[in-house]
Amino acid sequence: MKILIVASNMVHIKNFHPPYISAFRDAGHEVSVMASGEGADFDIPFKKRAFSFKNLRLSFLIKKIIKREGFDAIFLHTTLAAFWTRFALKGLKNRPVVINTVHGYLFSEHSSFIKRKLYLMAERIVRKKTDYIAVMNEDDLKIARDNKLALNEPFLINGMGVDLSRTEDSERHEFDGKLRLVYVGEISKRKNQIFLVKSLLKLDNAILTLVGDGDERKNLEAFASKNGISDRLVITGFTKNVKSHLENADIYVSASTIEGLPFNIMEAMSAKMPIVASNIKGQKDLLPKDCLYTLNDEEQFISLVRKTALGKREYDLEKYKLDRVLCENVRIYLDKIQ
C-alpha cells in the first residue's frame, strides 16, 4: 500500500516518526512524508495561524498531490496539518483511509469557551473525512467520543513510544541548600513557564532552569529582571544535553496548561526525579496524584514543592517504551487500513 504521513513540520517527523517509517517500509509498504521543511517528499509550508488564507490555498495543492499519487492511507499528526489535509479531501472520490493521531487536542476544560468552540467546530467540519482517531489520554478520548469526531470509534494508544536512553541511569546531585527546579520544553504560553518564574518570588531558596527556547523567552527574562530574580532563572536555549540538567536538579516541575502524553514528563520519570506538575490531561495520565497540583494554583504548587521529598523516585514506564509501543501502534494502524 501507499502510505502518506503528514505533520506540520519536519521537526515533528524527525522527533517521532523514523522508527514508524522504517517499520511500515519493512512490512512492504511505500511511505511518503508531507510536511514543511527539508527532507519532506512533499514540502508544504503550513502557516502557524490555523485559519490562515495561505493554508486554504495550500489545501488545493494538498488535494492535487493526494489525487495524483493515489495513496491508500493517510496518517495525520499535529493539529494544523491534520485539519487542512482532511479539509483538502472534501469532494475527492475514492479517498484514502484516514487515521488522525491526536497528540493532544489544543483545548480542555481549562480553555476558554470561545477556544473550545472554535477547535470543536474545526474538528466537526472534517469529521466525515476522519475514519479513525487515535488519542493519547483519557480526556481526549472522551472529547473524541462525546463529539463523534470520527466515522468509527476512537481508540487510545500509549503515545508514540519513548526512547529513554537519554535519561536512564541518571544520578541525583547532593542537595546544597539551594532548591534546584528544572523544566524541559518549548518556552510558550501553552507551557506556562511564567507561572514557574513567578513562583521564585515566594521560593526564596529556589533556582529555576528552563531547558529550551521559544517565543516567550524575552517576556520571562524581562519579568525576572524587573523583580530582581534574574540570578535565580537560567534559560539554556535549545540543547540535546537534557540528562545533565536533570541530574543537577532536585525537582522536575511543570505548569503546562494542555498536553497529550508529555515526553518531557516521561524523561523526568525515567530519570527517577521527584515531580510536581499541573493536574491536566496527559500529565495526570502518567503521574501519581501526590505529584499533581491544580493548574495555576500558586499556593498549592509552592506547598507541594516544599514538602516533596528529594532524591530518587520510582515510576512504571514499561508500557510507554518505544519498542513496545512501536509494535502495538504499527499493528493497529495496519489493521485499520487493510
Side-chain angles (χ1 to χ4, degrees):
M1 289 184 291
K2 292 186 70 173
I3 296 171
L4 178 65
I5 296 176
V6 184
S8 295
N9 56 67
M10 283 302 295
V11 173
H12 177 92
I13 295 291
K14 291 173 182 177
N15 283 341
F16 294 102
H17 296 281
Y20 287 85
I21 293 170
S22 296
F24 292 133
R25 286 175 176 164
D26 288 345
H29 305 294
E30 182 181 336
V31 181
S32 301
V33 171
M34 178 181 287
S36 174
E38 185 178 352
D41 297 293
F42 306 102
D43 186 352
I44 303 294
F46 292 105
K47 303 302 176 184
K48 282 190 174 182
R49 289 179 57 194
F51 302 107
S52 164
F53 181 72
K54 290 182 179 179
N55 286 330
L56 176 60
R57 291 176 59 188
L58 287 172
S59 72
F60 294 103
L61 174 59
I62 294 169
K63 184 173 185 176
K64 183 178 179 181
I65 292 170
I66 292 172
K67 187 176 181 179
R68 182 187 72 217
E69 296 294 325
F71 295 107
D72 299 293
I74 301 178
F75 299 154
L76 300 173
H77 301 269
T78 69
T79 301
L80 184 69
F83 172 78
W84 285 109
T85 303
R86 286 175 292 168
F87 186 85
L89 294 175
K90 286 184 173 291
L92 189 65
K93 295 181 180 179
N94 301 317
R95 66 169 177 80
V97 177
V98 174
I99 301 179
N100 181 26
T101 301
V102 177
H103 292 249
Y105 283 121
L106 298 179
F107 59 93
S108 68
E109 74 274 14
H110 304 296
S111 303
S112 68
F113 175 81
I114 293 175
K115 184 175 183 178
R116 289 199 306 272
K117 288 296 182 183
L118 281 174
Y119 276 105
L120 275 173
M121 178 188 72
E123 288 298 319
R124 285 168 177 155
I125 287 172
V126 294
R127 63 182 166 187
K128 290 186 178 180
K129 304 302 177 185
T130 311
D131 294 292
Y132 299 97
I133 292 175
V135 297
M136 301 184 184
N137 62 64
E138 292 289 346
D139 286 37
D140 285 340
L141 184 62
K142 187 175 188 305
I143 289 170
R145 279 178 174 163
D146 290 353
N147 293 282
K148 296 180 172 59
L149 298 181
L151 297 174
N152 296 285
E153 181 72 6
F155 58 94
L156 189 67
I157 61 174
N158 292 317
M160 298 297 289
V162 184
D163 179 1
L164 298 173
S165 60
R166 293 202 308 170
T167 51
E168 284 180 326
D169 303 319
S170 296
E171 297 294 332
R172 296 270 67 74
H173 84 116
E174 293 292 329
F175 182 64
D176 60 3
K178 288 288 186 181
L179 187 61
R180 300 178 189 276
L181 312 177
V182 66
Y183 176 80
V184 180
E186 178 189 12
I187 299 177
S188 66
K189 289 183 179 179
R190 184 162 67 91
K191 300 298 185 181
N192 198 26
Q193 287 96 338
I194 187 62
F195 176 87
L196 302 176
V197 176
K198 287 180 177 179
S199 75
L200 294 177
L201 299 175
K202 294 185 179 179
L203 290 168
D204 295 337
N205 70 326
I207 296 172
L208 173 64
T209 298
L210 300 178
V211 182
D213 212 338
D215 295 340
E216 287 295 298
R217 177 172 181 166
K218 289 184 178 179
N219 290 337
L220 301 189
E221 291 173 334
F223 179 89
S225 177
K226 181 179 178 180
N227 289 277
I229 55 173
S230 293
D231 60 330
R232 295 195 289 126
L233 173 64
V234 178
I235 302 179
T236 67
F238 176 78
T239 177
K240 291 185 177 180
N241 187 20
V242 172
K243 185 176 180 179
S244 66
H245 292 292
L246 299 185
E247 288 182 330
N248 290 322
D250 300 298
I251 303 175
Y252 192 90
V253 291
S254 171
S256 188
T257 60
I258 293 175
E259 292 289 352
L261 198 67
F263 180 81
N264 62 328
I265 292 290
M266 286 190 271
E267 284 198 321
M269 294 167 72
S270 170
K272 301 181 180 180
M273 296 190 69
I275 300 172
V276 174
S278 47
N279 187 9
I280 61 166
K281 64 179 183 177
Q283 295 188 159
K284 68 183 181 183
D285 292 75
L286 291 170
L287 293 167
K289 290 183 179 179
D290 64 349
C291 294
L292 302 168
Y293 67 92
T294 303
L295 177 66
N296 288 330
D297 188 324
E298 185 180 71
E299 184 177 333
Q300 192 179 19
F301 170 76
I302 290 171
S303 174
L304 190 53
V305 166
R306 284 175 173 160
K307 74 178 185 181
T308 294
L310 305 184
K312 288 191 174 183
R313 177 163 183 173
E314 298 289 338
Y315 307 91
D316 183 9
L317 282 169
E318 192 61 36
K319 68 179 180 180
Y320 302 108
K321 288 185 176 180
L322 178 59
D323 289 348
R324 179 171 175 173
V325 174
L326 176 64
C327 291
E328 291 173 352
N329 288 354
V330 168
R331 176 184 57 78
I332 291 169
Y333 288 178
L334 292 180
D335 283 349
K336 298 292 185 187
I337 66 175
Q338 288 176 344

